[in-house]
Amino acid sequence: MAFLKSISRPDSAPMITGEGVYLRGPESDDYPQWSTLRERSRDFLKPWEPTWPHDDLTRNAYRRRLRRYAQDVRDDRAYPFFIFREQTGELIGGVTISGVQRGVQQCCSLGYWAGEPHAGRGYTTAAVRALIPYVFEELKLHRLQAACLPENEPSKAVLRKCGFQEEGYARGYLRIDGAWRDHVVFALLRDDPRP
């Protein structure tokens, strides 16, 4: 049994370093920083995210989140990361690779958020740039896809700076802030040039 455990997948995503940031899987000790940043940024994030459950910022909900994250990593379905500022270790936001598809598709989706105090400072762009080699070289995927609301110019700018190409418009793509919303779809392929 010990042999089987040694070849199984880890429970969390690895640490990845980027320009001025590092990414690692969420941990139990991150709860105070995470809940404070999310609460402080609630109004800022609300228009861009699914509706938060009523208990979303509680410690119990966070524990459930960590268990789900660990299972997703073990099952090769998703890889959640928190983004930290390299100099201070301060939590900035998060980035997640989700919907991992193997077989003939070899693709995944990318999502990200930054707390309001850190938005517009280049941290999210640095985090996405750092994550791209992990997606293509470590996970061996072929396509990395992202979608954002048409009016979310900062998010579109992050994707364009990281080499994503706009591919089209997906009607009623995700339920955001309580309503099915259209999204602009972007993608980056393994062989695409990157800035």
Side-chain angles (χ1 to χ4, degrees), residues 11-13 24-36 57-70 80-82 84 91:
D11 288 347
S12 65
R24 67 162 168 75
E27 298 174 357
S28 183
D29 290 346
D30 296 324
Y31 172 74
Q33 266 199 97
W34 175 84
S35 61
T36 299
L57 299 181
T58 66
R59 188 174 288 279
N60 281 339
Y62 185 76
R63 285 187 190 116
R64 288 192 305 271
R65 182 184 299 264
L66 291 183
R67 284 193 298 271
R68 186 179 70 248
Y69 287 165
F81 295 87
F82 280 171
F84 296 90
L91 178 65

Side-chain angles (χ1 to χ4, degrees), residues 11-13 68-81 96-100 108-109 134 139:
D11 288 347
S12 65
R68 186 179 70 248
Y69 287 165
Q71 188 63 53
D72 284 347
V73 171
R74 282 193 301 271
D75 293 343
D76 189 35
R77 285 191 307 238
Y79 295 84
F81 295 87
T96 302
I97 299 164
S98 64
V100 175
C108 64
S109 294
Y134 177 73
L139 295 181

